[in-house]
Amino acid sequence: MIGRRRGVELKTADQMRQMRRAGLVVAQAHAELAEAAAPGVTTGELDQLAREVLARNGASSSFLGYGAGFGLPPYPAVACISVNEEIVHGIPGERVLADGDLVSFDFGAIIGGWHGDGAVTFPAGEWTPERRRLSDVTRDALWAGIGAARLGGRVSDISHAVEEFIESCDDHEFGIVEEYTGHGIGSAMHQPPDVPNYGRPGRGPKIVEGLCLAVEPMITWGSAETATLDDEWTVVTRDSSDAAHWEHTITVTKRGLWVLTALDGGEEALGRLGLPFGPLAD
Ligand code: MF3
Ligand code: CO
């Protein structure tokens, strides 16, 4: 750590390289799980695959056992798998995926004490056009948020860009979940500052070198009101409408953006958006 500003942990270049290693484990799990998801597979089996990705890479889980210090039952899995009307924190288990299910897979890995956290949404089998659209809009909102991060800017520039992107979608009225937010990340999974998915730009901590953030829009097809199930973890939409979740851990260097949980560091998506790709040299 090279310093703290208002409780914000700033990482050295070497620490961010470690976070990139953790992020690559997350990216690998995303790719393998999207491939493995199919009708007939249980969410517990997907969690087992995610455990194997950790083991193969000598990484540990950011999620397993989480929450015990906050009066929650310790989280019992390495992944959160949230299906259809489940928004986040779905616990993997006996549930058998059905054709057309919308599966949000959220996963965190630790290497050398440094965390990576990311989520993707993928189908089991074939999606309806509505489900595809919901996932695409959520993913694009994530990239709009990432694209708004620049050195000298403020954290809420990201929040504002996510909201603005969702508001600009005029084919449907999507809901933006407000109770759950992105966050700082580094030597712990959840650090200050919060990164909400709505709000006015120009607020919050300054975006400086060494700041690492998890940006994670959760978007609903219907109302954005949430409820938590009796397991104390699973968050669902109150109106049972579908929800999607996409997340990346990012940082901003002098050269541009570095998406630590994307296999290619974000190069391809940033290129399409005309944004600078700025990984640290090895
Ligand atoms: N990736 C999730 C988030 O940042 C955290 C999962 S909660 C856990 O919202 F308990 F599973 F760790
Ligand atoms: Co997160």
Side-chain angles (χ1 to χ4, degrees), residues 62-64 66-67 75 77 79-80 88-89 106-107 117-118 181 183 189-190 214 216 218 233 245 247:
S62 306
F63 293 10
L64 189 65
Y66 185 89
Y75 192 73
C80 297
V88 276
H89 303 166
D106 188 355
F107 181 70
D117 182 15
T181 67
H183 47 92
M189 172 170 62
H190 288 148
E216 50 179 317
M218 285 149 264
W233 279 107
H245 180 205
E247 174 181 21

mmCIF file with all atom_site columns, all heavy atoms in Angstrom, residues 62-64 66-67 75 77 79-80 88-89 106-107 117-118 181 183 189-190 214 216 218 233 245 247, ligand 1:
data_model
loop_
_atom_site.group_PDB
_atom_site.id
_atom_site.type_symbol
_atom_site.label_atom_id
_atom_site.label_alt_id
_atom_site.label_comp_id
_atom_site.label_asym_id
_atom_site.label_entity_id
_atom_site.label_seq_id
_atom_site.pdbx_PDB_ins_code
_atom_site.Cartn_x
_atom_site.Cartn_y
_atom_site.Cartn_z
_atom_site.occupancy
_atom_site.B_iso_or_equiv
_atom_site.pdbx_formal_charge
_atom_site.auth_seq_id
_atom_site.auth_comp_id
_atom_site.auth_asym_id
_atom_site.auth_atom_id
_atom_site.pdbx_PDB_model_num
ATOM   1   N N   . SER A 1 62  ? -12.519 -15.543 -2.094  1.00 0.00 ? 62  SER A N   1
ATOM   2   C CA  . SER A 1 62  ? -12.917 -14.323 -1.380  1.00 0.00 ? 62  SER A CA  1
ATOM   3   C C   . SER A 1 62  ? -14.254 -14.506 -0.671  1.00 0.00 ? 62  SER A C   1
ATOM   4   O O   . SER A 1 62  ? -14.571 -13.753 0.248   1.00 0.00 ? 62  SER A O   1
ATOM   5   C CB  . SER A 1 62  ? -13.087 -13.158 -2.370  1.00 0.00 ? 62  SER A CB  1
ATOM   6   O OG  . SER A 1 62  ? -11.946 -12.964 -3.158  1.00 0.00 ? 62  SER A OG  1
ATOM   7   N N   . PHE A 1 63  ? -15.059 -15.466 -1.121  1.00 0.00 ? 63  PHE A N   1
ATOM   8   C CA  . PHE A 1 63  ? -16.447 -15.562 -0.663  1.00 0.00 ? 63  PHE A CA  1
ATOM   9   C C   . PHE A 1 63  ? -16.648 -16.571 0.466   1.00 0.00 ? 63  PHE A C   1
ATOM   10  O O   . PHE A 1 63  ? -17.456 -16.336 1.364   1.00 0.00 ? 63  PHE A O   1
ATOM   11  C CB  . PHE A 1 63  ? -17.377 -15.985 -1.812  1.00 0.00 ? 63  PHE A CB  1
ATOM   12  C CG  . PHE A 1 63  ? -17.555 -14.996 -2.927  1.00 0.00 ? 63  PHE A CG  1
ATOM   13  C CD1 . PHE A 1 63  ? -16.764 -13.863 -3.039  1.00 0.00 ? 63  PHE A CD1 1
ATOM   14  C CD2 . PHE A 1 63  ? -18.541 -15.205 -3.891  1.00 0.00 ? 63  PHE A CD2 1
ATOM   15  C CE1 . PHE A 1 63  ? -16.934 -12.958 -4.082  1.00 0.00 ? 63  PHE A CE1 1
ATOM   16  C CE2 . PHE A 1 63  ? -18.732 -14.305 -4.929  1.00 0.00 ? 63  PHE A CE2 1
ATOM   17  C CZ  . PHE A 1 63  ? -17.932 -13.186 -5.034  1.00 0.00 ? 63  PHE A CZ  1
ATOM   18  N N   . LEU A 1 64  ? -15.928 -17.724 0.396   1.00 0.00 ? 64  LEU A N   1
ATOM   19  C CA  . LEU A 1 64  ? -16.171 -18.820 1.339   1.00 0.00 ? 64  LEU A CA  1
ATOM   20  C C   . LEU A 1 64  ? -15.981 -18.338 2.776   1.00 0.00 ? 64  LEU A C   1
ATOM   21  O O   . LEU A 1 64  ? -14.915 -17.848 3.127   1.00 0.00 ? 64  LEU A O   1
ATOM   22  C CB  . LEU A 1 64  ? -15.208 -19.971 1.025   1.00 0.00 ? 64  LEU A CB  1
ATOM   23  C CG  . LEU A 1 64  ? -15.448 -21.278 1.766   1.00 0.00 ? 64  LEU A CG  1
ATOM   24  C CD1 . LEU A 1 64  ? -16.786 -21.907 1.381   1.00 0.00 ? 64  LEU A CD1 1
ATOM   25  C CD2 . LEU A 1 64  ? -14.316 -22.259 1.493   1.00 0.00 ? 64  LEU A CD2 1
ATOM   26  N N   . TYR A 1 66  ? -17.387 -15.835 4.157   1.00 0.00 ? 66  TYR A N   1
ATOM   27  C CA  . TYR A 1 66  ? -17.604 -14.386 4.286   1.00 0.00 ? 66  TYR A CA  1
ATOM   28  C C   . TYR A 1 66  ? -18.896 -14.111 5.068   1.00 0.00 ? 66  TYR A C   1
ATOM   29  O O   . TYR A 1 66  ? -19.861 -14.845 4.957   1.00 0.00 ? 66  TYR A O   1
ATOM   30  C CB  . TYR A 1 66  ? -17.708 -13.767 2.884   1.00 0.00 ? 66  TYR A CB  1
ATOM   31  C CG  . TYR A 1 66  ? -17.804 -12.256 2.883   1.00 0.00 ? 66  TYR A CG  1
ATOM   32  C CD1 . TYR A 1 66  ? -16.658 -11.474 2.857   1.00 0.00 ? 66  TYR A CD1 1
ATOM   33  C CD2 . TYR A 1 66  ? -19.038 -11.622 2.905   1.00 0.00 ? 66  TYR A CD2 1
ATOM   34  C CE1 . TYR A 1 66  ? -16.743 -10.093 2.864   1.00 0.00 ? 66  TYR A CE1 1
ATOM   35  C CE2 . TYR A 1 66  ? -19.142 -10.238 2.915   1.00 0.00 ? 66  TYR A CE2 1
ATOM   36  C CZ  . TYR A 1 66  ? -17.984 -9.486  2.887   1.00 0.00 ? 66  TYR A CZ  1
ATOM   37  O OH  . TYR A 1 66  ? -18.070 -8.126  2.893   1.00 0.00 ? 66  TYR A OH  1
ATOM   38  N N   . GLY A 1 67  ? -18.871 -13.004 5.822   1.00 0.00 ? 67  GLY A N   1
ATOM   39  C CA  . GLY A 1 67  ? -20.114 -12.584 6.477   1.00 0.00 ? 67  GLY A CA  1
ATOM   40  C C   . GLY A 1 67  ? -20.170 -12.942 7.942   1.00 0.00 ? 67  GLY A C   1
ATOM   41  O O   . GLY A 1 67  ? -20.941 -12.353 8.705   1.00 0.00 ? 67  GLY A O   1
ATOM   42  N N   . TYR A 1 75  ? -20.797 -17.464 4.494   1.00 0.00 ? 75  TYR A N   1
ATOM   43  C CA  . TYR A 1 75  ? -21.190 -17.852 3.140   1.00 0.00 ? 75  TYR A CA  1
ATOM   44  C C   . TYR A 1 75  ? -20.619 -19.235 2.825   1.00 0.00 ? 75  TYR A C   1
ATOM   45  O O   . TYR A 1 75  ? -19.416 -19.457 2.974   1.00 0.00 ? 75  TYR A O   1
ATOM   46  C CB  . TYR A 1 75  ? -20.718 -16.799 2.132   1.00 0.00 ? 75  TYR A CB  1
ATOM   47  C CG  . TYR A 1 75  ? -21.376 -17.033 0.795   1.00 0.00 ? 75  TYR A CG  1
ATOM   48  C CD1 . TYR A 1 75  ? -22.718 -16.739 0.609   1.00 0.00 ? 75  TYR A CD1 1
ATOM   49  C CD2 . TYR A 1 75  ? -20.676 -17.637 -0.246  1.00 0.00 ? 75  TYR A CD2 1
ATOM   50  C CE1 . TYR A 1 75  ? -23.349 -17.014 -0.591  1.00 0.00 ? 75  TYR A CE1 1
ATOM   51  C CE2 . TYR A 1 75  ? -21.297 -17.911 -1.461  1.00 0.00 ? 75  TYR A CE2 1
ATOM   52  C CZ  . TYR A 1 75  ? -22.634 -17.596 -1.614  1.00 0.00 ? 75  TYR A CZ  1
ATOM   53  O OH  . TYR A 1 75  ? -23.267 -17.879 -2.794  1.00 0.00 ? 75  TYR A OH  1
ATOM   54  N N   . ALA A 1 77  ? -20.178 -21.124 0.026   1.00 0.00 ? 77  ALA A N   1
ATOM   55  C CA  . ALA A 1 77  ? -19.709 -21.550 -1.301  1.00 0.00 ? 77  ALA A CA  1
ATOM   56  C C   . ALA A 1 77  ? -18.636 -20.587 -1.794  1.00 0.00 ? 77  ALA A C   1
ATOM   57  O O   . ALA A 1 77  ? -18.369 -19.572 -1.159  1.00 0.00 ? 77  ALA A O   1
ATOM   58  C CB  . ALA A 1 77  ? -20.899 -21.582 -2.264  1.00 0.00 ? 77  ALA A CB  1
ATOM   59  N N   . ALA A 1 79  ? -18.801 -19.399 -5.009  1.00 0.00 ? 79  ALA A N   1
ATOM   60  C CA  . ALA A 1 79  ? -19.459 -18.570 -6.016  1.00 0.00 ? 79  ALA A CA  1
ATOM   61  C C   . ALA A 1 79  ? -20.846 -18.182 -5.520  1.00 0.00 ? 79  ALA A C   1
ATOM   62  O O   . ALA A 1 79  ? -21.448 -18.897 -4.715  1.00 0.00 ? 79  ALA A O   1
ATOM   63  C CB  . ALA A 1 79  ? -19.600 -19.340 -7.327  1.00 0.00 ? 79  ALA A CB  1
ATOM   64  N N   . CYS A 1 80  ? -21.334 -17.048 -5.990  1.00 0.00 ? 80  CYS A N   1
ATOM   65  C CA  . CYS A 1 80  ? -22.748 -16.728 -5.850  1.00 0.00 ? 80  CYS A CA  1
ATOM   66  C C   . CYS A 1 80  ? -23.372 -17.028 -7.207  1.00 0.00 ? 80  CYS A C   1
ATOM   67  O O   . CYS A 1 80  ? -22.877 -16.554 -8.241  1.00 0.00 ? 80  CYS A O   1
ATOM   68  C CB  . CYS A 1 80  ? -22.972 -15.259 -5.517  1.00 0.00 ? 80  CYS A CB  1
ATOM   69  S SG  . CYS A 1 80  ? -22.276 -14.754 -3.930  1.00 0.00 ? 80  CYS A SG  1
ATOM   70  N N   . VAL A 1 88  ? -28.607 -11.157 -6.653  1.00 0.00 ? 88  VAL A N   1
ATOM   71  C CA  . VAL A 1 88  ? -27.239 -11.458 -6.209  1.00 0.00 ? 88  VAL A CA  1
ATOM   72  C C   . VAL A 1 88  ? -27.266 -12.393 -5.010  1.00 0.00 ? 88  VAL A C   1
ATOM   73  O O   . VAL A 1 88  ? -28.303 -12.561 -4.356  1.00 0.00 ? 88  VAL A O   1
ATOM   74  C CB  . VAL A 1 88  ? -26.436 -10.203 -5.737  1.00 0.00 ? 88  VAL A CB  1
ATOM   75  C CG1 . VAL A 1 88  ? -25.800 -9.483  -6.881  1.00 0.00 ? 88  VAL A CG1 1
ATOM   76  C CG2 . VAL A 1 88  ? -27.261 -9.306  -4.855  1.00 0.00 ? 88  VAL A CG2 1
ATOM   77  N N   . HIS A 1 89  ? -26.070 -12.950 -4.709  1.00 0.00 ? 89  HIS A N   1
ATOM   78  C CA  . HIS A 1 89  ? -25.828 -13.729 -3.493  1.00 0.00 ? 89  HIS A CA  1
ATOM   79  C C   . HIS A 1 89  ? -26.649 -15.013 -3.428  1.00 0.00 ? 89  HIS A C   1
ATOM   80  O O   . HIS A 1 89  ? -26.898 -15.534 -2.335  1.00 0.00 ? 89  HIS A O   1
ATOM   81  C CB  . HIS A 1 89  ? -26.058 -12.884 -2.227  1.00 0.00 ? 89  HIS A CB  1
ATOM   82  C CG  . HIS A 1 89  ? -25.214 -11.630 -2.188  1.00 0.00 ? 89  HIS A CG  1
ATOM   83  N ND1 . HIS A 1 89  ? -25.445 -10.597 -1.309  1.00 0.00 ? 89  HIS A ND1 1
ATOM   84  C CD2 . HIS A 1 89  ? -24.149 -11.254 -2.939  1.00 0.00 ? 89  HIS A CD2 1
ATOM   85  C CE1 . HIS A 1 89  ? -24.545 -9.634  -1.516  1.00 0.00 ? 89  HIS A CE1 1
ATOM   86  N NE2 . HIS A 1 89  ? -23.756 -10.005 -2.510  1.00 0.00 ? 89  HIS A NE2 1
ATOM   87  N N   . ASP A 1 106 ? -21.108 -14.934 -9.819  1.00 0.00 ? 106 ASP A N   1
ATOM   88  C CA  . ASP A 1 106 ? -20.260 -13.930 -9.166  1.00 0.00 ? 106 ASP A CA  1
ATOM   89  C C   . ASP A 1 106 ? -19.195 -14.684 -8.386  1.00 0.00 ? 106 ASP A C   1
ATOM   90  O O   . ASP A 1 106 ? -19.501 -15.629 -7.652  1.00 0.00 ? 106 ASP A O   1
ATOM   91  C CB  . ASP A 1 106 ? -21.155 -13.089 -8.243  1.00 0.00 ? 106 ASP A CB  1
ATOM   92  C CG  . ASP A 1 106 ? -20.452 -11.898 -7.640  1.00 0.00 ? 106 ASP A CG  1
ATOM   93  O OD1 . ASP A 1 106 ? -19.227 -11.731 -7.826  1.00 0.00 ? 106 ASP A OD1 1
ATOM   94  O OD2 . ASP A 1 106 ? -21.145 -11.115 -6.949  1.00 0.00 ? 106 ASP A OD2 1
ATOM   95  N N   . PHE A 1 107 ? -17.942 -14.249 -8.528  1.00 0.00 ? 107 PHE A N   1
ATOM   96  C CA  . PHE A 1 107 ? -16.831 -15.082 -8.048  1.00 0.00 ? 107 PHE A CA  1
ATOM   97  C C   . PHE A 1 107 ? -15.662 -14.205 -7.644  1.00 0.00 ? 107 PHE A C   1
ATOM   98  O O   . PHE A 1 107 ? -15.337 -13.237 -8.341  1.00 0.00 ? 107 PHE A O   1
ATOM   99  C CB  . PHE A 1 107 ? -16.439 -16.016 -9.202  1.00 0.00 ? 107 PHE A CB  1
ATOM   100 C CG  . PHE A 1 107 ? -15.329 -16.980 -8.911  1.00 0.00 ? 107 PHE A CG  1
ATOM   101 C CD1 . PHE A 1 107 ? -15.517 -18.039 -8.032  1.00 0.00 ? 107 PHE A CD1 1
ATOM   102 C CD2 . PHE A 1 107 ? -14.106 -16.851 -9.546  1.00 0.00 ? 107 PHE A CD2 1
ATOM   103 C CE1 . PHE A 1 107 ? -14.491 -18.949 -7.789  1.00 0.00 ? 107 PHE A CE1 1
ATOM   104 C CE2 . PHE A 1 107 ? -13.083 -17.758 -9.311  1.00 0.00 ? 107 PHE A CE2 1
ATOM   105 C CZ  . PHE A 1 107 ? -13.271 -18.809 -8.427  1.00 0.00 ? 107 PHE A CZ  1
ATOM   106 N N   . ASP A 1 117 ? -12.586 -9.662  -8.085  1.00 0.00 ? 117 ASP A N   1
ATOM   107 C CA  . ASP A 1 117 ? -14.025 -9.921  -7.910  1.00 0.00 ? 117 ASP A CA  1
ATOM   108 C C   . ASP A 1 117 ? -14.714 -9.577  -9.224  1.00 0.00 ? 117 ASP A C   1
ATOM   109 O O   . ASP A 1 117 ? -14.510 -8.487  -9.777  1.00 0.00 ? 117 ASP A O   1
ATOM   110 C CB  . ASP A 1 117 ? -14.524 -9.018  -6.773  1.00 0.00 ? 117 ASP A CB  1
ATOM   111 C CG  . ASP A 1 117 ? -15.996 -9.198  -6.428  1.00 0.00 ? 117 ASP A CG  1
ATOM   112 O OD1 . ASP A 1 117 ? -16.605 -10.196 -6.853  1.00 0.00 ? 117 ASP A OD1 1
ATOM   113 O OD2 . ASP A 1 117 ? -16.528 -8.321  -5.713  1.00 0.00 ? 117 ASP A OD2 1
ATOM   114 N N   . GLY A 1 118 ? -15.513 -10.512 -9.720  1.00 0.00 ? 118 GLY A N   1
ATOM   115 C CA  . GLY A 1 118 ? -16.197 -10.227 -10.980 1.00 0.00 ? 118 GLY A CA  1
ATOM   116 C C   . GLY A 1 118 ? -17.417 -11.102 -11.169 1.00 0.00 ? 118 GLY A C   1
ATOM   117 O O   . GLY A 1 118 ? -17.501 -12.198 -10.609 1.00 0.00 ? 118 GLY A O   1
ATOM   118 N N   . THR A 1 181 ? -24.111 -2.217  -4.184  1.00 0.00 ? 181 THR A N   1
ATOM   119 C CA  . THR A 1 181 ? -23.262 -1.317  -4.971  1.00 0.00 ? 181 THR A CA  1
ATOM   120 C C   . THR A 1 181 ? -21.926 -1.985  -5.271  1.00 0.00 ? 181 THR A C   1
ATOM   121 O O   . THR A 1 181 ? -21.570 -3.004  -4.667  1.00 0.00 ? 181 THR A O   1
ATOM   122 C CB  . THR A 1 181 ? -22.953 -0.028  -4.180  1.00 0.00 ? 181 THR A CB  1
ATOM   123 O OG1 . THR A 1 181 ? -22.132 -0.375  -3.051  1.00 0.00 ? 181 THR A OG1 1
ATOM   124 C CG2 . THR A 1 181 ? -24.223 0.663   -3.705  1.00 0.00 ? 181 THR A CG2 1
ATOM   125 N N   . HIS A 1 183 ? -17.672 -1.404  -5.180  1.00 0.00 ? 183 HIS A N   1
ATOM   126 C CA  . HIS A 1 183 ? -16.870 -1.143  -3.974  1.00 0.00 ? 183 HIS A CA  1
ATOM   127 C C   . HIS A 1 183 ? -15.395 -1.064  -4.308  1.00 0.00 ? 183 HIS A C   1
ATOM   128 O O   . HIS A 1 183 ? -14.946 -1.594  -5.321  1.00 0.00 ? 183 HIS A O   1
ATOM   129 C CB  . HIS A 1 183 ? -17.107 -2.291  -2.980  1.00 0.00 ? 183 HIS A CB  1
ATOM   130 C CG  . HIS A 1 183 ? -17.011 -3.667  -3.594  1.00 0.00 ? 183 HIS A CG  1
ATOM   131 N ND1 . HIS A 1 183 ? -15.838 -4.379  -3.629  1.00 0.00 ? 183 HIS A ND1 1
ATOM   132 C CD2 . HIS A 1 183 ? -17.930 -4.424  -4.266  1.00 0.00 ? 183 HIS A CD2 1
ATOM   133 C CE1 . HIS A 1 183 ? -16.048 -5.537  -4.256  1.00 0.00 ? 183 HIS A CE1 1
ATOM   134 N NE2 . HIS A 1 183 ? -17.315 -5.587  -4.669  1.00 0.00 ? 183 HIS A NE2 1
ATOM   135 N N   . MET A 1 189 ? -11.924 -7.845  0.041   1.00 0.00 ? 189 MET A N   1
ATOM   136 C CA  . MET A 1 189 ? -12.855 -7.799  -1.096  1.00 0.00 ? 189 MET A CA  1
ATOM   137 C C   . MET A 1 189 ? -13.688 -6.526  -1.082  1.00 0.00 ? 189 MET A C   1
ATOM   138 O O   . MET A 1 189 ? -13.930 -5.936  -2.138  1.00 0.00 ? 189 MET A O   1
ATOM   139 C CB  . MET A 1 189 ? -13.767 -9.028  -1.070  1.00 0.00 ? 189 MET A CB  1
ATOM   140 C CG  . MET A 1 189 ? -14.898 -8.967  -2.094  1.00 0.00 ? 189 MET A CG  1
ATOM   141 S SD  . MET A 1 189 ? -15.793 -10.503 -2.252  1.00 0.00 ? 189 MET A SD  1
ATOM   142 C CE  . MET A 1 189 ? -16.484 -10.713 -0.609  1.00 0.00 ? 189 MET A CE  1
ATOM   143 N N   . HIS A 1 190 ? -14.152 -6.145  0.088   1.00 0.00 ? 190 HIS A N   1
ATOM   144 C CA  . HIS A 1 190 ? -15.016 -4.964  0.178   1.00 0.00 ? 190 HIS A CA  1
ATOM   145 C C   . HIS A 1 190 ? -14.288 -3.868  0.938   1.00 0.00 ? 190 HIS A C   1
ATOM   146 O O   . HIS A 1 190 ? -13.980 -4.020  2.117   1.00 0.00 ? 190 HIS A O   1
ATOM   147 C CB  . HIS A 1 190 ? -16.332 -5.294  0.895   1.00 0.00 ? 190 HIS A CB  1
ATOM   148 C CG  . HIS A 1 190 ? -17.249 -6.130  0.061   1.00 0.00 ? 190 HIS A CG  1
ATOM   149 N ND1 . HIS A 1 190 ? -18.107 -7.059  0.602   1.00 0.00 ? 190 HIS A ND1 1
ATOM   150 C CD2 . HIS A 1 190 ? -17.435 -6.176  -1.270  1.00 0.00 ? 190 HIS A CD2 1
ATOM   151 C CE1 . HIS A 1 190 ? -18.784 -7.642  -0.377  1.00 0.00 ? 190 HIS A CE1 1
ATOM   152 N NE2 . HIS A 1 190 ? -18.395 -7.122  -1.524  1.00 0.00 ? 190 HIS A NE2 1
ATOM   153 N N   . ALA A 1 214 ? -14.387 -2.353  -7.828  1.00 0.00 ? 214 ALA A N   1
ATOM   154 C CA  . ALA A 1 214 ? -15.282 -3.335  -8.439  1.00 0.00 ? 214 ALA A CA  1
ATOM   155 C C   . ALA A 1 214 ? -16.546 -2.573  -8.851  1.00 0.00 ? 214 ALA A C   1
ATOM   156 O O   . ALA A 1 214 ? -17.212 -1.973  -8.011  1.00 0.00 ? 214 ALA A O   1
ATOM   157 C CB  . ALA A 1 214 ? -15.609 -4.446  -7.455  1.00 0.00 ? 214 ALA A CB  1
ATOM   158 N N   . GLU A 1 216 ? -20.240 -2.909  -10.525 1.00 0.00 ? 216 GLU A N   1
ATOM   159 C CA  . GLU A 1 216 ? -21.143 -4.058  -10.679 1.00 0.00 ? 216 GLU A CA  1
ATOM   160 C C   . GLU A 1 216 ? -22.624 -3.688  -10.756 1.00 0.00 ? 216 GLU A C   1
ATOM   161 O O   . GLU A 1 216 ? -23.350 -3.813  -9.774  1.00 0.00 ? 216 GLU A O   1
ATOM   162 C CB  . GLU A 1 216 ? -20.909 -5.095  -9.573  1.00 0.00 ? 216 GLU A CB  1
ATOM   163 C CG  . GLU A 1 216 ? -20.877 -4.590  -8.146  1.00 0.00 ? 216 GLU A CG  1
ATOM   164 C CD  . GLU A 1 216 ? -20.670 -5.759  -7.165  1.00 0.00 ? 216 GLU A CD  1
ATOM   165 O OE1 . GLU A 1 216 ? -21.295 -6.805  -7.357  1.00 0.00 ? 216 GLU A OE1 1
ATOM   166 O OE2 . GLU A 1 216 ? -19.891 -5.601  -6.223  1.00 0.00 ? 216 GLU A OE2 1
ATOM   167 N N   . MET A 1 218 ? -26.481 -4.095  -11.241 1.00 0.00 ? 218 MET A N   1
ATOM   168 C CA  . MET A 1 218 ? -27.506 -5.136  -11.152 1.00 0.00 ? 218 MET A CA  1
ATOM   169 C C   . MET A 1 218 ? -28.777 -4.502  -11.718 1.00 0.00 ? 218 MET A C   1
ATOM   170 O O   . MET A 1 218 ? -29.273 -3.507  -11.163 1.00 0.00 ? 218 MET A O   1
ATOM   171 C CB  . MET A 1 218 ? -27.710 -5.536  -9.692  1.00 0.00 ? 218 MET A CB  1
ATOM   172 C CG  . MET A 1 218 ? -26.594 -6.405  -9.150  1.00 0.00 ? 218 MET A CG  1
ATOM   173 S SD  . MET A 1 218 ? -26.309 -6.163  -7.389  1.00 0.00 ? 218 MET A SD  1
ATOM   174 C CE  . MET A 1 218 ? -24.963 -4.975  -7.450  1.00 0.00 ? 218 MET A CE  1
ATOM   175 N N   . TRP A 1 233 ? -29.178 -14.713 2.595   1.00 0.00 ? 233 TRP A N   1
ATOM   176 C CA  . TRP A 1 233 ? -28.240 -14.301 1.545   1.00 0.00 ? 233 TRP A CA  1
ATOM   177 C C   . TRP A 1 233 ? -28.938 -13.921 0.239   1.00 0.00 ? 233 TRP A C   1
ATOM   178 O O   . TRP A 1 233 ? -28.719 -12.846 -0.292  1.00 0.00 ? 233 TRP A O   1
ATOM   179 C CB  . TRP A 1 233 ? -27.216 -15.430 1.268   1.00 0.00 ? 233 TRP A CB  1
ATOM   180 C CG  . TRP A 1 233 ? -26.107 -15.459 2.246   1.00 0.00 ? 233 TRP A CG  1
ATOM   181 C CD1 . TRP A 1 233 ? -25.912 -16.374 3.244   1.00 0.00 ? 233 TRP A CD1 1
ATOM   182 C CD2 . TRP A 1 233 ? -25.024 -14.529 2.350   1.00 0.00 ? 233 TRP A CD2 1
ATOM   183 N NE1 . TRP A 1 233 ? -24.781 -16.067 3.949   1.00 0.00 ? 233 TRP A NE1 1
ATOM   184 C CE2 . TRP A 1 233 ? -24.220 -14.939 3.420   1.00 0.00 ? 233 TRP A CE2 1
ATOM   185 C CE3 . TRP A 1 233 ? -24.656 -13.377 1.626   1.00 0.00 ? 233 TRP A CE3 1
ATOM   186 C CZ2 . TRP A 1 233 ? -23.065 -14.247 3.796   1.00 0.00 ? 233 TRP A CZ2 1
ATOM   187 C CZ3 . TRP A 1 233 ? -23.506 -12.695 1.994   1.00 0.00 ? 233 TRP A CZ3 1
ATOM   188 C CH2 . TRP A 1 233 ? -22.729 -13.130 3.073   1.00 0.00 ? 233 TRP A CH2 1
ATOM   189 N N   . HIS A 1 245 ? -26.558 -9.387  -13.660 1.00 0.00 ? 245 HIS A N   1
ATOM   190 C CA  . HIS A 1 245 ? -25.449 -8.819  -12.866 1.00 0.00 ? 245 HIS A CA  1
ATOM   191 C C   . HIS A 1 245 ? -24.153 -9.027  -13.628 1.00 0.00 ? 245 HIS A C   1
ATOM   192 O O   . HIS A 1 245 ? -23.812 -10.148 -13.978 1.00 0.00 ? 245 HIS A O   1
ATOM   193 C CB  . HIS A 1 245 ? -25.404 -9.557  -11.518 1.00 0.00 ? 245 HIS A CB  1
ATOM   194 C CG  . HIS A 1 245 ? -24.331 -9.097  -10.577 1.00 0.00 ? 245 HIS A CG  1
ATOM   195 N ND1 . HIS A 1 245 ? -23.813 -9.917  -9.607  1.00 0.00 ? 245 HIS A ND1 1
ATOM   196 C CD2 . HIS A 1 245 ? -23.691 -7.912  -10.441 1.00 0.00 ? 245 HIS A CD2 1
ATOM   197 C CE1 . HIS A 1 245 ? -22.902 -9.248  -8.911  1.00 0.00 ? 245 HIS A CE1 1
ATOM   198 N NE2 . HIS A 1 245 ? -22.805 -8.032  -9.401  1.00 0.00 ? 245 HIS A NE2 1
ATOM   199 N N   . GLU A 1 247 ? -19.954 -7.671  -13.476 1.00 0.00 ? 247 GLU A N   1
ATOM   200 C CA  . GLU A 1 247 ? -18.995 -6.980  -12.607 1.00 0.00 ? 247 GLU A CA  1
ATOM   201 C C   . GLU A 1 247 ? -17.565 -7.181  -13.087 1.00 0.00 ? 247 GLU A C   1
ATOM   202 O O   . GLU A 1 247 ? -17.198 -8.281  -13.509 1.00 0.00 ? 247 GLU A O   1
ATOM   203 C CB  . GLU A 1 247 ? -19.119 -7.534  -11.173 1.00 0.00 ? 247 GLU A CB  1
ATOM   204 C CG  . GLU A 1 247 ? -18.083 -6.997  -10.177 1.00 0.00 ? 247 GLU A CG  1
ATOM   205 C CD  . GLU A 1 247 ? -18.231 -7.587  -8.776  1.00 0.00 ? 247 GLU A CD  1
ATOM   206 O OE1 . GLU A 1 247 ? -18.846 -8.666  -8.650  1.00 0.00 ? 247 GLU A OE1 1
ATOM   207 O OE2 . GLU A 1 247 ? -17.725 -6.959  -7.831  1.00 0.00 ? 247 GLU A OE2 1
HETATM 208 N N1  . MF3 B 2 .   ? -19.025 -10.203 -5.227  1.00 0.00 ? 1   MF3 B N1  1
HETATM 209 C C1  . MF3 B 2 .   ? -20.030 -9.914  -4.262  1.00 0.00 ? 1   MF3 B C1  1
HETATM 210 C C2  . MF3 B 2 .   ? -20.152 -8.444  -4.132  1.00 0.00 ? 1   MF3 B C2  1
HETATM 211 O O1  . MF3 B 2 .   ? -19.208 -7.722  -4.165  1.00 0.00 ? 1   MF3 B O1  1
HETATM 212 C C3  . MF3 B 2 .   ? -19.768 -10.456 -2.899  1.00 0.00 ? 1   MF3 B C3  1
HETATM 213 C C4  . MF3 B 2 .   ? -20.341 -11.750 -2.641  1.00 0.00 ? 1   MF3 B C4  1
HETATM 214 S S1  . MF3 B 2 .   ? -20.812 -11.879 -1.014  1.00 0.00 ? 1   MF3 B S1  1
HETATM 215 C C5  . MF3 B 2 .   ? -20.151 -13.317 -0.491  1.00 0.00 ? 1   MF3 B C5  1
HETATM 216 O O2  . MF3 B 2 .   ? -21.225 -7.991  -3.991  1.00 0.00 ? 1   MF3 B O2  1
HETATM 217 F F1  . MF3 B 2 .   ? -20.557 -13.542 0.645   1.00 0.00 ? 1   MF3 B F1  1
HETATM 218 F F2  . MF3 B 2 .   ? -20.464 -14.260 -1.297  1.00 0.00 ? 1   MF3 B F2  1
HETATM 219 F F3  . MF3 B 2 .   ? -18.871 -13.196 -0.441  1.00 0.00 ? 1   MF3 B F3  1
#
